[in-house]
Amino acid sequence: MYMLRRGAISYDSSDQTALYIRMLGDVRVRSQVGFEPERRGSHPYLGVDFRTLHSRAESAGSIPARRIRRLFSFQRHLLSSRFLRGAPHLNPLHILDEDYCGQAKCMLEKVGSWNFDIFLFDRLTNGNSLVTLTLYLLSHYGLIELFQLDMVKVHRFLVLVQEDYHNHNPYHNSVHAADVTQAMHCYLKEPKLAKSLTSCDILLGLLAAVTHDLDHPGVNQPFLIKTNHYLAALYRNTSVLENHHWRSAVGLLRETELFSHLPAEDSLNMERQLGSLILATDISRQNEYLSKFRTHLDQEDLCLGNASHRHFVLQMALKCADICNPCRPWELSKQWSEKVTEEFFHQGDIEKKHKLEVSPLCDSETNSIADVQIGFMTYVVEPLFAEWARFSDTRLSQTMLGHLCLNKASWNAMQPEASGSSEELESEQEASSRALPQGSPQS
């Protein structure tokens, strides 16, 4: 039995945790070296009968797949080039007035606050939150000048990354990537990391956050496997999505030649480390990383002067950033919970339509948002953030744990079988709020 400080949360690290994670798709990862980067295919994953998709493509005998990929690459290059030259586009963005730009700039000045509202920021930037936020952070850390990055290439890379997120996905879209990047920035500012990480570590951490779900199809790995999708075959059913995100990111890095001015060995090393960070977000490896993290903390042998230890801490920071939604203030956390559950249920509807076995957590008839969130918080989020608080016992860590307690209590109160009185609920929330430091600005 593990207890969090101040008695805020307790959890049982039992077989239930492993079972819950296996429900999300349990596979093991094998390291990958030497590869062809993925190119964006703009595949319409949702609403397609995957069982006939490949046979249709094989029998169509039309445009070769390689030519199609080249066409998409050319179209992306043309779009970004026009954008950078200021040439008009067929579907121009609405021009933002000075009030919107001014409010967005004011928000960026508080980008390190834990209650940063990424939804509002995305509206203020007209759907360009990922590009705007990342450009600001790269400048904030002085990475543009330090690595002598070409601003035209940087901007083109970020535009293509944002474009390659599927914004019709309720959850896995560019706003989620921007949210994870903002959370990563908060963790990079924590005292232990701020005084230990190198500029290369910071650059890799931000790039990994920006690209960690690149070209996500809006369905999970088990869905791709049981529909015989080509990505599942390509990566042998092993960390299918994470491998695709990584190699898609490398494809854009090479397409834009962002690191072409660096020695080839340095550029390849950065690509490999980027892959190591993105692959760490595979939820099926949660227990593996958590056990290793816990062992380091128990033995007190984490040395941030060691490059491999710093990289491991970056992996854990990215894992925290990726699933930190339950640790945000309720107004933000609830929106994310609704979006991710909507995406789950959408997948379940597709599975029902095509007479496939409905994946766990994806059946809207047997699951509710509260069910999904309580299980996720209990078996995935709480154990991870308990150990992160041991590693970095700061105001931010205690704030996150406090929000986690309050949010879990709120979802519990929404359960149909919840019969406790309002007084009992208020008492529970008051006890949970003690995890928040007194007078904390929640930042």
Side-chain angles (χ1 to χ4, degrees), residues 35-94:
F35 59 88
E36 279 296 319
E38 282 288 310
R39 301 299 294 257
R40 183 190 182 207
S42 296
H43 301 290
Y45 291 90
L46 300 184
V48 173
D49 189 341
F50 285 81
R51 294 168 297 178
T52 61
L53 180 63
H54 303 293
S55 60
R56 288 177 185 171
E58 292 169 359
S59 62
S62 56
I63 303 175
R66 183 177 299 176
R67 184 176 170 190
I68 292 175
R69 285 196 295 271
R70 287 177 180 171
L71 177 61
F72 280 124
S73 175
F74 172 76
Q75 289 173 337
R76 292 205 311 280
H77 173 75
L78 183 63
L79 174 64
S80 60
S81 298
R82 284 178 174 174
F83 184 80
L84 292 175
R85 291 198 309 265
H89 187 258
L90 294 178
N91 296 306
L93 296 174
H94 296 291

Side-chain angles (χ1 to χ4, degrees), residues 11 59 258 312 333 342 380 411:
Y11 69 89
S59 62
L258 186 61
F312 176 67
S333 179
E342 179 186 350
V380 180
W411 286 120

Side-chain angles (χ1 to χ4, degrees), residues 34-302:
F35 59 88
E36 279 296 319
E38 282 288 310
R39 301 299 294 257
R40 183 190 182 207
S42 296
H43 301 290
Y45 291 90
L46 300 184
V48 173
D49 189 341
F50 285 81
R51 294 168 297 178
T52 61
L53 180 63
H54 303 293
S55 60
R56 288 177 185 171
E58 292 169 359
S59 62
S62 56
I63 303 175
R66 183 177 299 176
R67 184 176 170 190
I68 292 175
R69 285 196 295 271
R70 287 177 180 171
L71 177 61
F72 280 124
S73 175
F74 172 76
Q75 289 173 337
R76 292 205 311 280
H77 173 75
L78 183 63
L79 174 64
S80 60
S81 298
R82 284 178 174 174
F83 184 80
L84 292 175
R85 291 198 309 265
H89 187 258
L90 294 178
N91 296 306
L93 296 174
H94 296 291
I95 298 176
L96 299 179
D97 59 31
E98 293 182 0
D99 288 340
Y100 275 80
C101 295
Q103 291 179 63
K105 184 177 179 180
C106 287
M107 286 195 70
L108 281 174
E109 294 173 358
K110 301 179 181 179
V111 72
S113 171
W114 188 245
N115 59 1
F116 188 85
D117 189 340
I118 197 65
F119 299 110
L120 174 59
F121 185 71
D122 192 63
R123 292 193 295 272
L124 292 176
T125 56
N126 202 30
N128 291 292
S129 57
L130 184 58
V131 173
T132 308
L133 178 70
T134 309
L135 282 173
Y136 176 84
L137 291 177
L138 291 175
S139 176
H140 171 79
Y141 285 105
L143 300 174
I144 303 291
E145 297 80 5
L146 187 61
F147 289 91
Q148 298 182 329
L149 300 177
D150 185 322
M151 275 302 297
V152 173
K153 293 180 180 179
V154 172
H155 197 282
R156 180 169 177 246
F157 170 75
L158 293 175
V159 168
L160 295 182
V161 166
Q162 182 172 269
E163 179 188 321
D164 278 11
Y165 276 95
H166 299 193
N167 285 329
H168 58 261
N169 290 343
Y171 182 82
H172 289 104
N173 52 43
S174 64
V175 183
H176 166 65
D179 186 60
V180 172
T181 303
Q182 190 272 336
M184 192 67 167
H185 169 58
C186 291
Y187 300 149
L188 294 176
K189 295 195 311 127
E190 290 288 79
K192 279 189 176 181
L193 278 70
K195 68 181 181 183
S196 304
L197 296 180
T198 67
S199 296
C200 187
D201 294 329
I202 295 172
L203 178 61
L204 282 169
L206 292 177
L207 287 179
V210 168
T211 61
H212 80 285
D213 274 333
L214 187 60
D215 200 33
H216 196 291
V219 293
N220 61 19
Q221 174 173 285
F223 182 91
L224 297 179
I225 292 174
K226 66 187 174 186
T227 55
N228 297 317
H229 193 268
Y230 85 96
L231 285 177
L234 179 63
Y235 299 117
R236 300 181 181 181
N237 300 342
T238 302
S239 292
V240 175
L241 288 172
E242 290 74 26
N243 270 301
H244 179 58
H245 303 325
W246 165 35
R247 299 187 185 199
S248 297
V250 171
L252 291 184
L253 284 172
R254 295 183 182 182
E255 181 176 333
T256 58
E257 300 181 335
L258 186 61
F259 296 138
S260 61
H261 62 292
L262 300 178
E265 183 179 350
D266 292 344
S267 180
L268 288 173
N269 184 51
M270 291 189 73
E271 291 178 1
R272 284 192 289 267
Q273 291 192 65
L274 181 65
S276 176
L277 290 173
I278 294 176
L279 288 172
T281 62
D282 184 353
I283 197 67
S284 70
R285 300 186 69 191
Q286 183 81 356
N287 283 340
E288 174 190 339
Y289 280 93
L290 190 59
S291 176
K292 183 179 178 180
F293 195 33
R294 186 177 290 132
T295 299
H296 276 304
L297 295 176
D298 290 343
Q299 297 177 355
E300 300 181 349
D301 62 353
L302 268 179

Side-chain angles (χ1 to χ4, degrees), residues 278-424:
I278 294 176
L279 288 172
T281 62
D282 184 353
I283 197 67
S284 70
R285 300 186 69 191
Q286 183 81 356
N287 283 340
E288 174 190 339
Y289 280 93
L290 190 59
S291 176
K292 183 179 178 180
F293 195 33
R294 186 177 290 132
T295 299
H296 276 304
L297 295 176
D298 290 343
Q299 297 177 355
E300 300 181 349
D301 62 353
L302 268 179
C303 175
L304 296 185
N306 182 308
S308 63
H309 284 197
R310 289 200 309 274
H311 186 77
F312 176 67
V313 169
L314 271 182
Q315 289 176 317
M316 299 308 298
L318 182 60
K319 289 176 68 64
C320 288
D322 189 26
I323 62 171
C324 72
N325 304 145
C327 301
R328 296 283 194 180
W330 171 250
E331 295 76 13
L332 300 175
S333 179
K334 183 173 181 288
Q335 291 184 68
W336 285 120
S337 298
E338 292 168 347
K339 290 177 181 296
V340 72
T341 309
E342 179 186 350
E343 194 166 292
F344 286 167
F345 290 168
H346 192 188
Q347 175 180 321
D349 292 341
I350 296 173
E351 290 167 333
K352 291 177 185 178
K353 176 181 178 181
H354 295 295
K355 311 299 182 186
L356 299 171
E357 180 183 357
V358 179
S359 301
L361 311 179
C362 294
D363 192 341
S364 58
E365 297 178 3
T366 59
N367 294 281
S368 66
I369 298 179
D371 294 332
V372 174
Q373 288 306 304
I374 292 171
F376 183 61
M377 291 179 181
T378 302
Y379 301 118
V380 180
V381 182
E382 286 179 3
L384 177 60
F385 281 87
E387 299 307 320
W388 182 261
R390 286 179 61 197
F391 166 71
S392 179
D393 187 11
T394 62
R395 173 179 290 183
L396 173 60
S397 293
Q398 295 304 322
T399 297
M400 291 190 296
L401 294 178
H403 287 312
L404 181 60
C405 288
L406 292 170
N407 295 338
K408 188 175 180 181
S410 297
W411 286 120
N412 271 311
M414 295 182 186
Q415 291 282 61
E417 61 272 16
S419 57
S421 65
S422 59
E423 290 80 6
E424 291 174 339

